mmCIF file of all heavy atoms in Angstrom:
data_model
loop_
_atom_site.group_PDB
_atom_site.id
_atom_site.type_symbol
_atom_site.label_atom_id
_atom_site.label_comp_id
_atom_site.label_asym_id
_atom_site.label_seq_id
_atom_site.Cartn_x
_atom_site.Cartn_y
_atom_site.Cartn_z
ATOM 1 N N PRO A 32 1.828 6.137 3.891
ATOM 2 C CA PRO A 32 0.976 6.403 2.720
ATOM 3 C C PRO A 32 0.845 7.901 2.456
ATOM 4 O O PRO A 32 0.779 8.716 3.377
ATOM 5 C CB PRO A 32 -0.363 5.779 3.122
ATOM 6 C CG PRO A 32 -0.026 4.750 4.156
ATOM 7 C CD PRO A 32 1.136 5.334 4.915
ATOM 8 N N ASP A 33 0.814 8.247 1.181
ATOM 9 C CA ASP A 33 0.605 9.633 0.769
ATOM 10 C C ASP A 33 -0.826 10.043 1.083
ATOM 11 O O ASP A 33 -1.780 9.280 0.875
ATOM 12 C CB ASP A 33 0.883 9.759 -0.728
ATOM 13 C CG ASP A 33 0.811 11.194 -1.214
ATOM 14 O OD1 ASP A 33 0.876 12.113 -0.376
ATOM 15 O OD2 ASP A 33 0.691 11.394 -2.441
ATOM 16 N N ASP A 34 -0.981 11.295 1.568
ATOM 17 C CA ASP A 34 -2.299 11.791 1.939
ATOM 18 C C ASP A 34 -2.854 12.778 0.908
ATOM 19 O O ASP A 34 -3.840 13.452 1.159
ATOM 20 C CB ASP A 34 -2.229 12.459 3.322
ATOM 21 C CG ASP A 34 -3.601 12.684 3.931
ATOM 22 O OD1 ASP A 34 -4.426 11.747 3.863
ATOM 23 O OD2 ASP A 34 -3.850 13.785 4.455
ATOM 24 N N ALA A 35 -2.216 12.870 -0.265
ATOM 25 C CA ALA A 35 -2.752 13.753 -1.312
ATOM 26 C C ALA A 35 -4.122 13.252 -1.759
ATOM 27 O O ALA A 35 -4.459 12.072 -1.619
ATOM 28 C CB ALA A 35 -1.794 13.793 -2.497
ATOM 29 N N GLY A 36 -4.916 14.151 -2.320
ATOM 30 C CA GLY A 36 -6.299 13.841 -2.641
ATOM 31 C C GLY A 36 -6.479 12.609 -3.504
ATOM 32 O O GLY A 36 -7.360 11.777 -3.251
ATOM 33 N N GLU A 37 -5.626 12.442 -4.521
ATOM 34 C CA GLU A 37 -5.805 11.311 -5.429
ATOM 35 C C GLU A 37 -5.339 9.987 -4.825
ATOM 36 O O GLU A 37 -5.583 8.917 -5.384
ATOM 37 C CB GLU A 37 -5.054 11.559 -6.747
ATOM 38 C CG GLU A 37 -3.536 11.519 -6.639
ATOM 39 C CD GLU A 37 -2.919 12.831 -6.184
ATOM 40 O OE1 GLU A 37 -3.673 13.709 -5.717
ATOM 41 O OE2 GLU A 37 -1.692 12.982 -6.319
ATOM 42 N N ALA A 38 -4.651 10.050 -3.643
ATOM 43 C CA ALA A 38 -4.120 8.826 -3.035
ATOM 44 C C ALA A 38 -4.681 8.568 -1.642
ATOM 45 O O ALA A 38 -4.452 7.494 -1.085
ATOM 46 C CB ALA A 38 -2.594 8.913 -2.961
ATOM 47 N N ARG A 39 -5.408 9.498 -1.084
ATOM 48 C CA ARG A 39 -5.858 9.384 0.311
ATOM 49 C C ARG A 39 -6.751 8.159 0.493
ATOM 50 O O ARG A 39 -7.701 7.941 -0.244
ATOM 51 C CB ARG A 39 -6.585 10.644 0.734
ATOM 52 C CG ARG A 39 -7.004 10.675 2.203
ATOM 53 C CD ARG A 39 -7.597 12.017 2.556
ATOM 54 N NE ARG A 39 -6.634 13.090 2.318
ATOM 55 C CZ ARG A 39 -6.946 14.273 1.814
ATOM 56 N NH1 ARG A 39 -8.208 14.528 1.465
ATOM 57 N NH2 ARG A 39 -6.021 15.191 1.640
ATOM 58 N N GLY A 40 -6.419 7.355 1.495
ATOM 59 C CA GLY A 40 -7.259 6.223 1.862
ATOM 60 C C GLY A 40 -7.147 5.005 0.978
ATOM 61 O O GLY A 40 -7.917 4.059 1.127
ATOM 62 N N THR A 41 -6.164 4.985 0.069
ATOM 63 C CA THR A 41 -6.064 3.851 -0.859
ATOM 64 C C THR A 41 -5.040 2.812 -0.437
ATOM 65 O O THR A 41 -4.883 1.799 -1.122
ATOM 66 C CB THR A 41 -5.678 4.338 -2.267
ATOM 67 O OG1 THR A 41 -4.384 4.967 -2.206
ATOM 68 C CG2 THR A 41 -6.699 5.324 -2.817
ATOM 69 N N LEU A 42 -4.327 3.017 0.676
ATOM 70 C CA LEU A 42 -3.166 2.175 0.948
ATOM 71 C C LEU A 42 -3.020 1.868 2.430
ATOM 72 O O LEU A 42 -3.212 2.740 3.283
ATOM 73 C CB LEU A 42 -1.888 2.875 0.449
ATOM 74 C CG LEU A 42 -0.600 2.056 0.414
ATOM 75 C CD1 LEU A 42 -0.741 0.873 -0.530
ATOM 76 C CD2 LEU A 42 0.560 2.940 -0.015
ATOM 77 N N ALA A 43 -2.663 0.614 2.741
ATOM 78 C CA ALA A 43 -2.253 0.197 4.084
ATOM 79 C C ALA A 43 -0.954 -0.581 3.942
ATOM 80 O O ALA A 43 -0.745 -1.309 2.961
ATOM 81 C CB ALA A 43 -3.326 -0.670 4.738
ATOM 82 N N LEU A 44 -0.051 -0.432 4.924
ATOM 83 C CA LEU A 44 1.265 -1.053 4.865
ATOM 84 C C LEU A 44 1.374 -2.169 5.885
ATOM 85 O O LEU A 44 0.810 -2.092 6.979
ATOM 86 C CB LEU A 44 2.363 -0.014 5.133
ATOM 87 C CG LEU A 44 2.360 1.232 4.243
ATOM 88 C CD1 LEU A 44 3.498 2.151 4.631
ATOM 89 C CD2 LEU A 44 2.466 0.844 2.785
ATOM 90 N N GLU A 45 2.160 -3.208 5.530
ATOM 91 C CA GLU A 45 2.381 -4.319 6.451
ATOM 92 C C GLU A 45 3.744 -4.946 6.171
ATOM 93 O O GLU A 45 4.086 -5.215 5.015
ATOM 94 C CB GLU A 45 1.291 -5.371 6.292
ATOM 95 C CG GLU A 45 1.422 -6.538 7.264
ATOM 96 C CD GLU A 45 0.404 -7.629 7.007
ATOM 97 O OE1 GLU A 45 -0.283 -7.578 5.961
ATOM 98 O OE2 GLU A 45 0.302 -8.536 7.859
ATOM 99 N N ASN A 46 4.516 -5.171 7.225
ATOM 100 C CA ASN A 46 5.778 -5.886 7.092
ATOM 101 C C ASN A 46 5.474 -7.387 7.068
ATOM 102 O O ASN A 46 4.809 -7.905 7.969
ATOM 103 C CB ASN A 46 6.694 -5.538 8.263
ATOM 104 C CG ASN A 46 8.054 -6.200 8.158
ATOM 105 O OD1 ASN A 46 8.197 -7.385 8.395
ATOM 106 N ND2 ASN A 46 9.061 -5.403 7.831
ATOM 107 N N VAL A 47 5.945 -8.083 6.033
ATOM 108 C CA VAL A 47 5.591 -9.493 5.856
ATOM 109 C C VAL A 47 6.839 -10.317 5.585
ATOM 110 O O VAL A 47 7.819 -9.829 4.997
ATOM 111 C CB VAL A 47 4.593 -9.679 4.686
ATOM 112 C CG1 VAL A 47 3.275 -8.989 4.984
ATOM 113 C CG2 VAL A 47 5.182 -9.164 3.370
ATOM 114 N N PRO A 48 6.852 -11.601 6.002
ATOM 115 C CA PRO A 48 7.960 -12.490 5.636
ATOM 116 C C PRO A 48 7.859 -12.881 4.169
ATOM 117 O O PRO A 48 6.765 -13.044 3.623
ATOM 118 C CB PRO A 48 7.750 -13.703 6.553
ATOM 119 C CG PRO A 48 6.295 -13.690 6.875
ATOM 120 C CD PRO A 48 5.864 -12.258 6.880
ATOM 121 N N VAL A 49 9.009 -13.040 3.515
ATOM 122 C CA VAL A 49 9.020 -13.406 2.092
ATOM 123 C C VAL A 49 9.927 -14.607 1.839
ATOM 124 O O VAL A 49 10.408 -14.796 0.732
ATOM 125 C CB VAL A 49 9.446 -12.206 1.204
ATOM 126 C CG1 VAL A 49 8.365 -11.157 1.173
ATOM 127 C CG2 VAL A 49 10.766 -11.619 1.660
ATOM 128 N N GLY A 50 10.157 -15.420 2.863
ATOM 129 C CA GLY A 50 10.947 -16.625 2.685
ATOM 130 C C GLY A 50 12.418 -16.404 2.948
ATOM 131 O O GLY A 50 12.933 -15.288 2.853
ATOM 132 N N SER A 51 13.101 -17.511 3.298
ATOM 133 C CA SER A 51 14.549 -17.509 3.558
ATOM 134 C C SER A 51 14.938 -16.503 4.629
ATOM 135 O O SER A 51 16.013 -15.903 4.580
ATOM 136 C CB SER A 51 15.330 -17.214 2.271
ATOM 137 O OG SER A 51 14.993 -18.135 1.262
ATOM 138 N N GLY A 52 14.052 -16.277 5.597
ATOM 139 C CA GLY A 52 14.351 -15.374 6.696
ATOM 140 C C GLY A 52 14.294 -13.906 6.339
ATOM 141 O O GLY A 52 14.625 -13.053 7.162
ATOM 142 N N LYS A 53 13.858 -13.575 5.128
ATOM 143 C CA LYS A 53 13.786 -12.183 4.715
ATOM 144 C C LYS A 53 12.387 -11.633 4.945
ATOM 145 O O LYS A 53 11.414 -12.365 5.108
ATOM 146 C CB LYS A 53 14.175 -12.047 3.242
ATOM 147 C CG LYS A 53 15.623 -12.396 2.961
ATOM 148 C CD LYS A 53 15.978 -12.125 1.507
ATOM 149 C CE LYS A 53 17.452 -12.406 1.248
ATOM 150 N NZ LYS A 53 17.827 -12.125 -0.164
ATOM 151 N N ARG A 54 12.304 -10.309 4.943
ATOM 152 C CA ARG A 54 11.028 -9.637 5.118
ATOM 153 C C ARG A 54 10.901 -8.554 4.045
ATOM 154 O O ARG A 54 11.893 -8.164 3.412
ATOM 155 C CB ARG A 54 10.913 -9.037 6.522
ATOM 156 C CG ARG A 54 11.189 -10.043 7.645
ATOM 157 C CD ARG A 54 10.861 -9.466 9.004
ATOM 158 N NE ARG A 54 9.426 -9.344 9.201
ATOM 159 C CZ ARG A 54 8.658 -10.329 9.642
ATOM 160 N NH1 ARG A 54 9.160 -11.509 9.946
ATOM 161 N NH2 ARG A 54 7.357 -10.136 9.806
ATOM 162 N N ALA A 55 9.699 -8.048 3.849
ATOM 163 C CA ALA A 55 9.453 -7.021 2.835
ATOM 164 C C ALA A 55 8.256 -6.189 3.270
ATOM 165 O O ALA A 55 7.604 -6.475 4.277
ATOM 166 C CB ALA A 55 9.206 -7.660 1.473
ATOM 167 N N LEU A 56 7.986 -5.137 2.503
ATOM 168 C CA LEU A 56 6.888 -4.233 2.825
ATOM 169 C C LEU A 56 5.731 -4.483 1.859
ATOM 170 O O LEU A 56 5.851 -4.254 0.647
ATOM 171 C CB LEU A 56 7.344 -2.779 2.720
ATOM 172 C CG LEU A 56 6.343 -1.722 3.193
ATOM 173 C CD1 LEU A 56 6.069 -1.862 4.694
ATOM 174 C CD2 LEU A 56 6.845 -0.315 2.879
ATOM 175 N N ALA A 57 4.603 -4.965 2.378
ATOM 176 C CA ALA A 57 3.411 -5.193 1.562
ATOM 177 C C ALA A 57 2.610 -3.908 1.455
ATOM 178 O O ALA A 57 2.335 -3.244 2.463
ATOM 179 C CB ALA A 57 2.554 -6.297 2.169
ATOM 180 N N LEU A 58 2.245 -3.541 0.233
ATOM 181 C CA LEU A 58 1.411 -2.376 -0.035
ATOM 182 C C LEU A 58 0.018 -2.882 -0.406
ATOM 183 O O LEU A 58 -0.211 -3.333 -1.534
ATOM 184 C CB LEU A 58 2.000 -1.538 -1.171
ATOM 185 C CG LEU A 58 3.163 -0.591 -0.880
ATOM 186 C CD1 LEU A 58 4.358 -1.312 -0.287
ATOM 187 C CD2 LEU A 58 3.580 0.164 -2.132
ATOM 188 N N HIS A 59 -0.882 -2.873 0.564
ATOM 189 C CA HIS A 59 -2.259 -3.326 0.324
ATOM 190 C C HIS A 59 -3.059 -2.149 -0.233
ATOM 191 O O HIS A 59 -3.364 -1.198 0.502
ATOM 192 C CB HIS A 59 -2.892 -3.823 1.620
ATOM 193 C CG HIS A 59 -2.125 -4.926 2.305
ATOM 194 N ND1 HIS A 59 -1.873 -6.139 1.713
ATOM 195 C CD2 HIS A 59 -1.557 -4.982 3.549
ATOM 196 C CE1 HIS A 59 -1.202 -6.913 2.548
ATOM 197 N NE2 HIS A 59 -0.988 -6.244 3.666
ATOM 198 N N PHE A 60 -3.394 -2.199 -1.508
ATOM 199 C CA PHE A 60 -4.123 -1.084 -2.128
ATOM 200 C C PHE A 60 -5.578 -1.479 -2.337
ATOM 201 O O PHE A 60 -5.916 -2.653 -2.466
ATOM 202 C CB PHE A 60 -3.470 -0.668 -3.447
ATOM 203 C CG PHE A 60 -3.394 -1.741 -4.477
ATOM 204 C CD1 PHE A 60 -4.451 -1.990 -5.351
ATOM 205 C CD2 PHE A 60 -2.249 -2.523 -4.603
ATOM 206 C CE1 PHE A 60 -4.382 -2.972 -6.316
ATOM 207 C CE2 PHE A 60 -2.168 -3.518 -5.572
ATOM 208 C CZ PHE A 60 -3.243 -3.746 -6.417
ATOM 209 N N ARG A 61 -6.421 -0.452 -2.362
ATOM 210 C CA ARG A 61 -7.840 -0.723 -2.585
ATOM 211 C C ARG A 61 -8.465 0.412 -3.387
ATOM 212 O O ARG A 61 -8.040 1.560 -3.326
ATOM 213 C CB ARG A 61 -8.595 -0.888 -1.262
ATOM 214 C CG ARG A 61 -8.685 0.358 -0.411
ATOM 215 C CD ARG A 61 -9.433 0.081 0.888
ATOM 216 N NE ARG A 61 -9.655 1.317 1.646
ATOM 217 C CZ ARG A 61 -10.701 2.104 1.493
ATOM 218 N NH1 ARG A 61 -11.625 1.809 0.599
ATOM 219 N NH2 ARG A 61 -10.832 3.201 2.226
ATOM 220 N N ALA A 62 -9.460 0.047 -4.160
ATOM 221 C CA ALA A 62 -10.272 0.998 -4.922
ATOM 222 C C ALA A 62 -9.439 1.899 -5.827
ATOM 223 O O ALA A 62 -9.708 3.094 -5.952
ATOM 224 C CB ALA A 62 -11.126 1.838 -3.969
ATOM 225 N N LEU A 63 -8.415 1.322 -6.472
ATOM 226 C CA LEU A 63 -7.700 2.089 -7.494
ATOM 227 C C LEU A 63 -8.579 2.203 -8.735
ATOM 228 O O LEU A 63 -9.404 1.338 -9.023
ATOM 229 C CB LEU A 63 -6.382 1.410 -7.860
ATOM 230 C CG LEU A 63 -5.328 1.244 -6.773
ATOM 231 C CD1 LEU A 63 -4.007 0.793 -7.390
ATOM 232 C CD2 LEU A 63 -5.140 2.515 -5.971
ATOM 233 N N ALA A 64 -8.374 3.268 -9.466
ATOM 234 C CA ALA A 64 -9.130 3.525 -10.690
ATOM 235 C C ALA A 64 -8.426 4.662 -11.416
ATOM 236 O O ALA A 64 -7.518 5.297 -10.848
ATOM 237 C CB ALA A 64 -10.581 3.901 -10.359
ATOM 238 N N PRO A 65 -8.773 4.936 -12.661
ATOM 239 C CA PRO A 65 -8.186 6.112 -13.309
ATOM 240 C C PRO A 65 -8.392 7.364 -12.456
ATOM 241 O O PRO A 65 -9.515 7.688 -12.058
ATOM 242 C CB PRO A 65 -8.959 6.190 -14.641
ATOM 243 C CG PRO A 65 -9.320 4.768 -14.915
ATOM 244 C CD PRO A 65 -9.636 4.165 -13.579
ATOM 245 N N GLY A 66 -7.296 8.041 -12.115
ATOM 246 C CA GLY A 66 -7.372 9.206 -11.240
ATOM 247 C C GLY A 66 -7.208 8.889 -9.764
ATOM 248 O O GLY A 66 -7.108 9.806 -8.946
ATOM 249 N N ARG A 67 -7.184 7.610 -9.396
ATOM 250 C CA ARG A 67 -6.979 7.202 -8.001
ATOM 251 C C ARG A 67 -5.793 6.249 -7.957
ATOM 252 O O ARG A 67 -5.794 5.192 -8.589
ATOM 253 C CB ARG A 67 -8.228 6.508 -7.452
ATOM 254 C CG ARG A 67 -9.377 7.437 -7.199
ATOM 255 C CD ARG A 67 -9.171 8.276 -5.939
ATOM 256 N NE ARG A 67 -9.381 7.477 -4.729
ATOM 257 C CZ ARG A 67 -9.058 7.899 -3.511
ATOM 258 N NH1 ARG A 67 -8.485 9.070 -3.342
ATOM 259 N NH2 ARG A 67 -9.310 7.134 -2.473
ATOM 260 N N VAL A 68 -4.747 6.622 -7.215
ATOM 261 C CA VAL A 68 -3.517 5.837 -7.148
ATOM 262 C C VAL A 68 -3.200 5.518 -5.691
ATOM 263 O O VAL A 68 -3.743 6.140 -4.764
ATOM 264 C CB VAL A 68 -2.335 6.599 -7.781
ATOM 265 C CG1 VAL A 68 -2.619 6.923 -9.241
ATOM 266 C CG2 VAL A 68 -2.013 7.877 -6.992
ATOM 267 N N ALA A 69 -2.315 4.566 -5.486
ATOM 268 C CA ALA A 69 -1.741 4.299 -4.164
ATOM 269 C C ALA A 69 -0.292 4.757 -4.200
ATOM 270 O O ALA A 69 0.443 4.433 -5.140
ATOM 271 C CB ALA A 69 -1.841 2.813 -3.832
#
């Protein structure tokens, strides 16, 4: 996750299964708003 001021603390990452034996990267975002991004 980016640690810049507008993005700090907005994101957690998790490797998750997505079917057919494949996996992907889940971007769990929280408290987004104008001026706050993940």
Side-chain angles (χ1 to χ4, degrees):
D33 185 17
D34 195 45
E37 70 276 13
R39 184 175 301 141
T41 62
L42 191 62
L44 305 180
E45 182 185 10
N46 183 285
V47 296
V49 289
S51 304
K53 294 185 177 181
R54 307 189 72 85
L56 187 64
L58 281 57
H59 304 300
F60 59 86
R61 66 181 186 88
L63 298 191
R67 288 285 285 169
V68 301

